[in-house]
Amino acid sequence: MSARSKARKRALDVLFAADVRGETPEQSLEAESLRAAARPERASSWPYAREIVQGFIDHAEEIDRLIAANSTGWPLDRMPAVDRGILRIAVWEARYNPEVPVGVAIDEAVELAKELSTDDSPKFVNGLLTAISKDVATA
C-alpha cells in the first residue's frame, strides 16, 4: 500500500471518528495529532492525512454541498459514516489538490469503500464521485 493510500485511510479514521463520536473534525484531528506524535513508525503517512483532514475542514461546506447536490435520494446524514468520510476525502482531493488526478481520487475512494464499507458502497461511491467530477471539471 502506498504512503498516500495509507494517509487516506488515516484521514478516513479521523473523519469517521469525529462523525461517530459527535466531535468536530478539528477535535478529532487534534486527538490524532497527539497519537501520531507518540507513534513515529506511522510518521510517513501522517502529513498527507493531516493535509486531507485540514483540507476538508477548510472547505467542508462546499464539499458537503457537492456531495448532497449529486446524491439522488441519499441525504448526507443518511449515508453510512464511512461512505461520507470516503466521499469527503475524494472530493477534497479532486477539487482542491491539483497533485491528485480526479481518476485517482475516485479509484482510491472506491478501493476504500470495497475494503471498509458495505457491498453496495463501491458502486454508490463510484457513481456519486463520477457525477461530482463533472462539477469539479467545470469549476
Side-chain angles (χ1 to χ4, degrees):
M1 180 181 288
S2 76
R4 282 212 165 170
S5 293
K6 288 178 187 175
R8 287 178 185 99
K9 198 169 185 177
R10 287 187 73 184
L12 178 59
D13 289 345
V14 172
L15 293 176
F16 180 80
D19 218 354
V20 298
R21 291 181 183 149
E23 298 176 344
T24 66
E26 293 88 348
Q27 290 169 316
S28 189
L29 181 61
E30 178 62 28
E32 184 59 26
S33 292
L34 295 172
R35 281 191 291 279
R39 309 236 359 232
E41 71 276 7
R42 297 175 67 189
S44 66
S45 64
W46 179 239
Y48 189 57
R50 183 180 53 235
E51 181 181 351
I52 292 169
V53 176
Q54 188 61 56
F56 168 71
I57 291 167
D58 293 344
H59 302 283
E61 188 175 310
E62 175 69 12
I63 290 168
D64 283 352
R65 185 197 62 74
L66 279 169
I67 295 169
N70 287 279
S71 177
T72 312
W74 278 98
L76 203 58
D77 63 345
R78 284 196 54 221
M79 292 176 193
V82 69
D83 291 358
R84 196 169 32 249
I86 290 168
L87 291 165
R88 287 170 168 167
I89 290 165
V91 172
W92 176 80
E93 284 191 307
R95 184 156 182 122
Y96 299 102
N97 187 349
E99 295 176 14
V100 178
V102 173
V104 171
I106 293 172
D107 289 345
E108 289 283 334
V110 170
E111 288 305 312
L112 280 172
K114 284 179 184 176
E115 182 181 347
L116 301 170
S117 197
T118 69
D119 290 342
D120 295 330
S121 290
K123 184 177 178 181
F124 172 72
V125 165
N126 185 57
L128 185 51
L129 290 173
T130 299
I132 291 170
S133 71
K134 294 173 183 151
D135 283 346
V136 169
T138 61

